Amino acid sequence: MTLIVEEGADRVVWRLNRPQVRNAIDRELVAALHEACAAVEEEPRVVLLTGEGTTFAAGADIAQLRERDRGDALRGINSRIFDRIHRLPMPTVALVDGYALGGGAELAYACDFRIGTPRTRIGNPETDLGIIAAAGAAWRLAELVGEPLAKEILLAGRVMTAEEARAVHLLNDVVEPEDLLAAGHRLADRITARAPLATRLTKAVFHAPRAAHPFVDDLAQAVLFETEEKHARMTAFLDRRKERRP
């Protein structure tokens, strides 16, 4: 089993389970991730994504990658699954212990949040292997850390430490390895305490193209204004404020 899925009522934990090869991403793992995405698309929940052992994901499986041809590249084997993860309806959290390199880094970039440990190392050494970072890093990384640093990672092979990544907000937090999963659950608790549909629509609006605004903002708000949960939450807020008054 290349992917272990732990189901919860409002969240799910995905564990990359190829520790013998540092969770290298192969076709079987990609297929398992597609299956896991389908389940979360059907029943939206927060996703916590981590790796078994002391590595998040050391990249694509090089033995398989070496044999891929032009047709494989055009099929976007990794880029399509990472884009699907990026588009999941509820937020996703990458729990990055150890190395996240190449495809492993691109998988982390596709998530909404990233939490690391002091031994996290993240980068894209693809050009050293004669290829490019074609599963999102070549464009997504600049959005996350800015163009100058993104070019240093992509073109000069810089591998960032945990503290360097935290300093540029590529990592939202850095915790000890034994606290990594708990930190992910604490963040999930904060997310799931909010109105689920409002969270889903906020994520969708956030990622909408600039030309779609402000129409999509107004449309999402129109949907939410008609929900019972909006009325109940606002009523509870007003009641609490009344109780605090002298």
Side-chain angles (χ1 to χ4, degrees):
M1 184 182 297
T2 60
L3 183 70
I4 299 171
V5 177
E6 300 172 0
E7 303 277 0
D10 58 6
R11 71 198 64 179
V12 59
V13 178
W14 295 348
R15 296 181 181 272
L16 309 178
N17 188 35
R18 304 187 73 219
Q20 70 280 6
V21 289
R22 300 195 297 174
N23 297 320
I25 300 167
D26 66 352
R27 286 179 181 268
E28 186 179 354
L29 180 53
V30 168
L33 286 168
H34 274 296
E35 184 177 343
C37 283
V40 174
E41 290 161 350
E42 181 70 22
E43 184 183 348
R45 284 160 291 167
V46 173
V47 174
L48 304 179
L49 176 57
T50 189
E52 285 291 279
T54 57
T55 300
F56 177 69
D61 189 306
I62 301 302
Q64 281 192 8
L65 200 60
R66 185 182 60 181
E67 303 308 314
R68 291 183 187 176
D69 58 18
R70 176 176 54 196
D72 292 316
L74 293 174
R75 278 190 286 273
I77 295 169
N78 285 1
S79 63
R80 290 189 179 186
I81 183 56
F82 296 167
D83 190 56
R84 189 174 185 180
I85 290 170
H86 181 70
R87 295 175 185 274
L88 287 175
M90 288 291 280
T92 54
V93 185
L95 304 176
V96 185
D97 189 20
Y99 284 98
L101 299 175
E106 291 180 299
L107 175 55
Y109 303 155
C111 292
D112 297 297
F113 302 96
R114 287 157 294 279
I115 302 175
T117 74
R119 59 192 180 196
T120 296
R121 299 293 182 272
I122 189 164
N124 291 92
E126 280 88 346
T127 54
D128 194 42
L129 296 172
I131 58 175
I132 71 167
W139 54 274
R140 188 172 281 138
L141 188 54
E143 295 178 352
L144 292 170
V145 302
E147 182 177 322
L149 180 56
K151 284 182 174 178
E152 189 175 352
I153 294 168
L154 293 166
L155 303 178
R158 178 173 176 178
V159 175
M160 302 193 72
T161 66
E163 287 307 318
E164 289 170 337
R166 170 69 185 275
V168 296
H169 305 292
L170 185 58
L171 292 178
N172 297 90
D173 199 3
V174 176
V175 300
E176 292 301 319
E178 60 270 18
D179 191 39
L180 185 57
L181 183 59
H185 279 296
R186 289 194 295 271
L187 180 54
D189 288 342
R190 290 163 54 194
I191 295 167
T192 57
R194 286 158 167 74
L197 184 57
T199 300
R200 288 180 59 184
L201 291 180
T202 298
K203 178 175 176 176
V205 168
F206 185 93
H207 289 297
R210 177 64 184 88
H213 300 287
F215 175 73
V216 293
D217 309 62
D218 296 338
L219 187 61
Q221 194 75 299
V223 170
L224 292 168
F225 273 6
E226 298 298 319
T227 62
E228 292 183 7
E229 184 156 22
K230 169 253 187 179
H231 186 271
R233 284 176 176 260
M234 289 190 176
T235 299
F237 174 86
L238 293 171
D239 289 345
R240 289 193 300 271
R241 190 165 67 179
K242 288 179 183 178
E243 292 172 0
R244 289 195 295 267
R245 288 175 180 169

